[in-house]
Amino acid sequence: MPEGIVGWVVQTGEPFLANNVSREPKYRFVAELADTRSELAVPIKIGDGILGVLDIESAKLNAFDEMDLFTAQT
């Protein structure tokens, strides 16, 4: 079963925005990305299938807003 925010997006096909990953139970810490504070993930779909996930991370808290989510989905 997929884990983390990206795994959740793959499983559900829904976008996900976490502006404070330390408060997000779905977030999985990765040592190489230890500075991550915000994460935005959107599915890349072809028809009904999911080809992959566009995952954008930031070292800033509250780095993303609804416009960023809209843009990433576009």
Side-chain angles (χ1 to χ4, degrees):
M1 171 171 260
E3 291 188 4
I5 291 172
V6 171
W8 185 89
V9 171
V10 168
Q11 190 172 34
T12 64
E14 297 295 322
F16 195 88
L17 171 59
N19 268 318
N20 185 349
V21 296
S22 70
R23 294 185 178 177
E24 178 49 56
K26 291 176 184 67
Y27 178 74
R28 296 292 175 256
F29 178 80
V30 175
E32 293 82 7
L33 301 169
D35 292 339
T36 299
R37 299 294 174 264
S38 299
E39 186 169 356
L40 170 62
V42 296
I44 301 169
K45 296 180 179 181
I46 295 181
D48 292 334
I50 297 176
L51 180 64
V53 175
L54 172 61
D55 185 53
I56 307 166
E57 300 180 10
S58 176
K60 295 180 182 179
L61 286 172
N62 301 308
F64 308 113
D65 60 22
E66 292 299 316
M67 184 56 92
D68 296 313
L69 178 60
F70 174 79
T71 302
Q73 291 181 94
T74 302

